[in-house]
């Protein structure tokens, strides 16, 4: 039987949360859902600390002013968390109960793969959802783009441009580790655009002698006096690799791990723009009561896909870019 509610059914009570690793542009996405939804007469409730806050009831009503002055801020003002409890049947039941207590009709979940899977589980427990892609790894298979990726790329290339200065002054090899535990998009696209001689990604095995030593020796023989090697954290450790390179080639090598630098910072134009378009698409789905959808970029367009179907999709990294390196840096 339809749940009685003191209010009319013309509007929705929309819960919104950010989950998993934060990403620059998450605030812009929260804003791009909240303002248009309020404008259509819906209520928006902020859920702090992701799914952890959902089952704990860390929930409060937001208004247009709540999302003022945030489009340019990195991180997520709703905070985020990884919640083991939510992954248990008891935790899920607590989350469903809390949605009923706060009369939440639908949850907008902003985050990466883990967030999308959590949203699907929540929908299967009876709470409608909309999933918005946001992760600096850009490794969500159903979408060409995830919010945060462009800002992280720019952070990485700005850092590597600086490292190149000192590497050239000291005639060194700078080995730079970027994020990407399981995916090499950050490493690959950073490497190509930062002028790296070598890029190592989790998706492609490498041969130390052929792919690294031989490449660097060839470059040195061609007159290079400094070298940039970009590695994804999921491929290898920059520290270990720098030691091996120095031992094998005699080229003085230094390691830098960019780490969490890539997760912060004011979102770039592209991330603010993408977050705004994606948020507006999410509100279109909400207002049309088109629930359990994943908002994605496909063929350059912002579309909404069935969430369950979206999570069956796969995408493979275009490792062909690695071949560009040989042509661009020899
Ligand atoms: O998923 C984004 C990401 O930054 C990965 O690149 C990285 O390996 C992971 O999050 C780190 O997770 P945490 O913030 O929980 O340490």
């Amino acid at each position: 039987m339809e749940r009685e509610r003191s209010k009319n059914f013309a509007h929705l009570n929309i819960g919104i949360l950010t989950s998993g690793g934060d990403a620059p542009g998450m605030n812009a996405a929260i804003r791009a859902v909240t303002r248009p939804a309020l404008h259509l007469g819906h209520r928006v409730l902020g859920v702090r600390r992701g799914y952890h806050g959902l089952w704990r009831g860390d929930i409060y009503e937001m208004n247009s002013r709540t999302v003022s002055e945030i489009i340019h801020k990195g991180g997520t003002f709703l905070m985020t968390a990884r919640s083991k409890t939510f992954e248990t049947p008891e935790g899920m039941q607590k989350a469903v109960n809390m949605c009923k207590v706060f009369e939440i009709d639908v949850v907008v979940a902003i985050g990466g793969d883990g967030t999308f899977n959590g949203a699907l589980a929540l929908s299967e427990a009876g709470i409608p959802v909309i999933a918005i892609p946001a992760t600096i790894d850009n490794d969500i298979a159903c979408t060409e783009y995830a919010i945060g990726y462009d800002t992280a790329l720019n952070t990485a290339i700005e850092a590597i441009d600086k490292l190149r200065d000192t590497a050239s002054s000291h005639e060194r090899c700078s080995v730079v580790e970027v994020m990407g535990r399981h995916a090499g998009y950050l490493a690959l696209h950073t490497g190509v655009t930062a002028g790296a001689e070598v890029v190592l990604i989790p998706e492609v095995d490498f041969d130390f002698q052929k792919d690294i030593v031989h490449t660097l020796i060839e470059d040195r023989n061609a007159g290079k006096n400094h070298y940039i090697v970009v590695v994804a954290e999921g491929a290898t450790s920059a520290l270990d690799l720098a030691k091996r390179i120095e031992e094998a080639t005699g080229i003085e090598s230094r390691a830098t791990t960019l780490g969490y630098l890539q997760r912060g910072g004011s979102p770039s134009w592209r991330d603010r723009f993408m977050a705004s378009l994606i948020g507006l698409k999410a509100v279109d789905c909400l207002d049309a009561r088109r629930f359990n959808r994943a908002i994605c970029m496909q063929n350059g367009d912002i579309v909404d896909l069935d969430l369950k179907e979206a999570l069956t999709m796969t995408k493979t990294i275009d490792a062909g870019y690695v071949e560009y390196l040989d042509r661009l840096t020899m």
Side-chain angles (χ1 to χ4, degrees):
M1 186 181 84
E2 192 72 346
R3 171 170 45 82
E4 285 305 306
R5 200 162 72 182
S6 56
K7 306 166 190 64
N8 67 54
F9 285 84
H11 76 272
L12 291 170
N13 295 339
I14 301 165
I16 186 166
L17 61 83
T18 47
S19 170
D22 67 327
M26 279 185 162
N27 283 325
I30 297 166
R31 171 182 178 272
V33 170
T34 301
R35 289 238 169 104
L38 291 172
H39 183 69
L40 289 167
H42 302 298
R43 292 176 63 223
V44 182
L45 296 98
V47 181
R48 295 187 184 91
R49 302 179 181 85
Y51 294 120
H52 190 70
L54 187 65
W55 69 262
R56 294 173 70 244
D58 196 351
I59 300 168
Y60 72 109
E61 181 142 10
M62 302 206 295
N63 60 41
S64 192
R65 299 282 61 78
T66 314
V67 291
S68 295
E69 298 302 313
I70 63 165
I71 190 168
H72 61 296
K73 288 182 180 167
T76 162
F77 82 93
L78 286 177
M79 295 169 282
T80 179
R82 298 181 193 275
S83 175
K84 289 291 176 205
T85 306
F86 176 72
E87 294 169 16
T88 66
E90 299 75 22
M92 177 59 73
Q93 196 47 55
K94 285 179 179 176
V96 171
N97 293 343
M98 208 48 81
C99 288
K100 291 185 172 18
V101 167
F102 283 86
E103 294 188 326
I104 289 174
D105 298 305
V106 55
V107 171
V108 175
I110 303 171
D113 258 341
T115 303
F116 274 49
N117 282 295
L120 179 63
L122 189 60
S123 69
E124 289 170 344
I127 303 296
V129 299
I130 297 284
I132 286 181
T135 170
I136 66 168
D137 289 357
N138 198 34
D139 60 346
I140 303 173
C142 62
T143 183
E144 292 160 9
Y145 193 81
I147 296 162
Y149 186 53
D150 183 65
T151 306
L153 282 172
N154 283 298
T155 297
I157 61 171
E158 282 162 24
I160 294 172
D161 289 350
K162 289 182 170 67
L163 289 168
R164 179 186 293 281
D165 292 343
T166 179
S168 58
S169 304
H170 289 264
E171 300 185 287
R172 283 172 171 164
C173 171
S174 182
V175 183
V176 188
E177 184 177 311
V178 298
M179 281 192 153
R181 200 176 284 163
H182 309 297
Y185 295 98
L186 261 182
L188 191 54
H189 296 154
T190 297
V192 170
T193 53
E197 276 72 33
V198 174
V199 174
L200 302 181
I201 58 179
E203 298 89 341
V204 177
D205 292 336
F206 66 92
D207 179 291
F208 178 68
Q209 289 298 332
K210 184 171 77 65
D211 299 324
I212 300 174
V213 174
H214 182 255
T215 300
L216 296 179
I217 297 293
E218 265 204 336
D219 289 343
R220 182 169 62 183
N221 294 342
K224 280 185 177 276
N225 72 344
H226 65 280
Y227 317 85
I228 301 288
V229 173
V230 175
V231 303
E233 62 180 323
T236 187
S237 142
L239 203 58
D240 298 344
L241 188 61
K243 283 185 192 132
R244 288 183 70 191
I245 289 172
E246 186 161 326
E247 284 160 10
T249 65
I251 299 169
E252 206 179 6
S253 301
R254 293 293 185 272
T256 303
T257 299
L258 299 185
Y260 292 85
L261 266 176
Q262 300 154 96
R263 289 257 290 267
S266 176
S268 63
W269 174 87
R270 187 176 192 205
D271 277 325
R272 299 183 201 190
F273 188 62
M274 293 302 297
S276 301
L277 295 186
I278 289 169
L280 285 163
K281 185 71 178 180
V283 173
D284 290 345
C285 291
L286 290 163
D287 204 46
R289 277 46 174 191
R290 202 162 63 245
F291 298 142
N292 303 329
R293 310 295 289 177
I295 311 299
C296 310
M297 173 183 261
Q298 292 213 331
N299 305 313
D301 294 327
I302 307 297
V303 298
D304 60 286
L305 305 175
D306 173 78
L307 177 58
K308 191 163 192 169
E309 181 194 321
L311 283 169
T312 64
M313 293 178 174
T314 58
K315 75 175 176 182
T316 49
I317 197 164
D318 182 353
Y321 278 104
V322 179
E323 193 266 349
Y324 293 171
L325 290 174
D326 297 339
R327 295 164 61 190
L328 288 167
T329 58
M330 60 176 50

